[in-house]
Amino acid sequence: MSELTEFRPRDRNWHPAADTPAYRSTTYRAPRRSLLAVPQSIGELSGPVFGDTPLDPLGNDLIRNYATTGDAIGERIIVHGRVLDENERPIPGTLIEIWQANAGGKYRHVNDTYVAALDPNFGGCGRVISDADGRYSFRTIRPGPYPFPNEGCDWRPAHIHLSIFGHAFVQRLVTQLYFEGDPLIPRCVIVNTIKDPKAIDSLIAKLDMDAMHAFDCLAYRFDIVLRGHQATYFEDRGS
Amino acid sequence: MALKETPSQTAGPFVHIGTLPEIAGLKAKASERRNILARDGTLGERIRIEGVIYDGACALVKDAVLEIWQANANGQYGSNDFVGWGRAATDFKTGLYVFETIKPGATPYRDGRGQAPHISLSIFARGINTHLQTRLYFSDEATANAADPVLQLVGQPDLIATLIAQRDASRPVYRFDIRLQGERETVFFDF
Ligand SMILES: [Fe+3]
């Protein structure tokens, strides 16, 4: 059997705790028992490969990918960046899925009951695969903030949901990006499930005027970091 | 270590838009039935896995997405004939999730011992800040389960029981209910 390299442990103090009472949905969904730490073996060190999956050619253009009569309404933006591991190595060929509300803060989802209008030209769903240098880019509209029931009515800052696979089961990550300067960020109970201000800052996409498209789109930069391999190796002594 | 991992945030109640768009109500871009892993040529016993997720108030979790990752019938991950990855949602009305796949083979542990056939599983939902990871083992593999290095780390029989999918008496269907919190809470792993 070939050499297997473990990933660094997940820093559970950097990630949000499971039970975060201010975000009330966690109350009955957070396990009471602590997670059982188990060494990684072949199933955790491997993961699905999507590099060959044929993607919709408009998969990373949310302004057009569900459009029927014209472009989606809203502030036109580019969201771009790199997928790296903790050792600063690019992660190429990884699938990134995003989803978001429209410019009015309404999701195209059968369970979204918010009064804001749907945009007939906006689906809010995108997929792209990182390139050889780990780079990715989406064109979309800036999502609107929206209210949700929590302690009375709470508001979410504008955000985009992201799902990233990496190359191993243990690199899997689902998160949300926020937009620099949004006054709702520090008020958000979901943002504040994260304790370390540096960790919160790492979820805030930064305005990137160098990447804007003149007379078309503003740009935001958002780098994604997945778990990296340990420096030390172990030999699998199996067959 | 130069960089910190990007912190996790909940997948939220609208996770389906990005992960299973047809279930959210978006028109399908391609017909992708991601909860069906077995194809015509796939080796191995065809099985169905189904179950529900309960929260700490014994309510059904009807807005979750589950992902599985498994070896093929020969115990190999990522083989050309079998992707080994799948995704399903719990039904908005019934809370039931379903996978149609094949029973995986035994796989090697890091020290060369064998691991009992099992499927890795991740759960994403509103109210889950970082996705939960667990493993599904099979009730008809008692001997292999008893020798499984990870189940030995779990230790207590009542905890191990939360990880065993129960095979139906007459059909190749396994029932695997997940309990997020409270009595008979499923064992979740930090790999
Ligand atoms: Fe959201």
Side-chain angles (χ1 to χ4, degrees):
Chain A
M1 186 107 201
S2 62
E3 200 172 61
L4 296 175
T5 312
E6 284 184 293
F7 287 83
R8 298 172 188 279
R10 197 158 243 161
D11 180 351
R12 296 279 173 178
N13 293 318
W14 177 257
H15 290 278
D19 185 10
T20 48
Y23 172 35
R24 296 178 60 148
S25 291
T26 64
T27 301
Y28 292 111
R29 293 186 171 195
R32 293 245 197 274
R33 211 182 309 106
S34 47
L35 302 176
L36 180 64
V38 166
Q40 300 156 16
S41 52
I42 181 71
E44 289 76 42
L45 298 170
S46 56
V49 176
F50 298 100
D52 302 332
T53 311
L55 292 187
D56 175 3
L58 286 179
N60 69 340
D61 184 4
L62 285 73
I63 290 180
R64 299 244 164 100
N65 67 349
Y66 282 88
T68 51
T69 61
D71 286 359
I73 290 169
E75 289 180 45
R76 301 161 71 87
I77 60 169
I78 302 280
V79 174
H80 77 109
R82 294 180 81 193
V83 187
L84 304 164
D85 70 18
E86 291 168 304
N87 303 315
E88 284 188 275
R89 294 193 188 96
I91 301 183
T94 187
L95 178 65
I96 304 165
E97 298 163 305
I98 66 169
W99 65 101
Q100 64 169 92
N102 69 21
K106 173 84 170 178
Y107 282 99
R108 186 169 289 281
H109 189 291
V110 292
N111 293 342
D112 188 2
T113 57
Y114 184 33
V115 295
L118 282 170
D119 176 347
N121 292 309
F122 188 69
C125 165
R127 304 176 81 195
V128 74
I129 287 180
S130 62
D131 74 9
D133 297 318
R135 293 182 195 285
Y136 76 93
S137 176
F138 288 97
R139 188 171 79 152
T140 185
I141 53 91
R142 181 177 166 132
Y146 61 82
F148 76 108
N150 187 58
E151 189 76 55
C153 171
D154 278 42
W155 285 82
R156 298 299 328 279
H159 63 276
I160 296 177
H161 296 264
L162 298 100
S163 147
I164 311 102
F165 281 84
H167 295 159
F169 179 80
V170 297
Q171 286 185 302
R172 188 83 178 87
L173 180 73
V174 169
T175 189
Q176 305 181 27
L177 72 76
Y178 305 96
F179 293 89
E180 184 178 10
D182 187 338
L184 293 171
I185 294 172
R187 295 170 169 269
C188 175
V189 295
I190 291 176
V191 171
N192 289 326
T193 60
I194 300 170
K195 288 199 213 85
D196 190 323
K198 292 194 297 296
I200 292 175
D201 189 63
S202 73
L203 291 182
I204 300 177
K206 305 298 188 292
L207 184 67
D208 181 4
M209 293 307 287
D210 292 338
M212 65 103 173
H213 291 194
F215 304 105
D216 186 344
C217 289
L218 277 175
Y220 285 86
R221 168 95 190 202
F222 186 71
D223 289 341
I224 299 160
V225 181
L226 304 183
R227 291 168 72 180
H229 289 287
Q230 298 273 22
T232 53
Y233 292 73
F234 71 82
E235 285 286 332
D236 187 317
R237 291 188 299 276
S239 59
Chain B
M1 172 169 16
L3 301 174
K4 291 291 281 184
E5 186 186 10
T6 300
S8 178
Q9 292 269 266
T10 179
F14 307 124
V15 54
H16 315 86
I17 296 172
T19 57
L20 294 164
E22 311 92 276
I23 288 176
L26 274 76
K27 71 172 185 293
K29 285 275 161 187
S31 77
E32 288 175 328
R33 303 179 70 189
R34 296 195 183 143
N35 63 331
I36 300 178
L37 287 74
R39 303 288 174 213
D40 284 347
T42 310
L43 292 174
E45 185 191 9
R46 299 298 194 271
I47 62 170
R48 177 181 171 98
I49 295 166
E50 58 183 38
V52 296
I53 304 176
Y54 294 103
D55 72 11
C58 293
L60 291 171
V61 175
K62 297 177 179 174
D63 56 3
V65 164
L66 300 91
E67 292 178 355
I68 59 172
W69 173 237
Q70 66 168 97
N72 68 9
N74 295 324
Q76 297 160 323
Y77 282 94
S79 62
N80 290 330
D81 61 318
F82 181 66
V83 175
W85 179 85
R87 181 183 269 169
T90 53
D91 186 86
F92 293 156
K93 291 197 178 72
T94 65
L96 195 73
Y97 75 87
V98 175
F99 287 102
E100 289 178 21
T101 183
I102 53 107
K103 194 165 172 196
T107 53
Y109 193 53
R110 38 194 271 135
D111 60 5
R113 281 183 288 169
Q115 299 189 84
H118 66 274
I119 292 178
S120 299
L121 204 148
S122 299
I123 304 162
F124 305 84
R126 168 179 68 84
I128 296 178
N129 288 327
T130 305
H131 64 280
L132 296 169
Q133 304 170 127
T134 188
R135 280 184 173 192
L136 177 158
Y137 289 83
F138 299 91
S139 62
D140 52 339
E141 295 284 348
T143 307
N145 291 345
D148 182 82
V150 171
L151 290 181
Q152 286 176 358
L153 289 171
V154 174
Q156 298 175 48
D158 59 327
L159 296 181
I160 289 173
T162 70
L163 304 178
I164 311 286
Q166 296 298 322
R167 187 173 176 121
D168 186 271
S170 56
R171 303 169 303 155
V173 176
Y174 292 86
R175 179 80 186 192
F176 189 66
D177 290 346
I178 295 160
R179 290 174 173 80
L180 298 181
Q181 184 188 91
E183 204 186 342
R184 290 189 289 155
E185 178 177 306
T186 301
V187 172
F188 298 106
F189 295 106
D190 192 10
F191 290 107

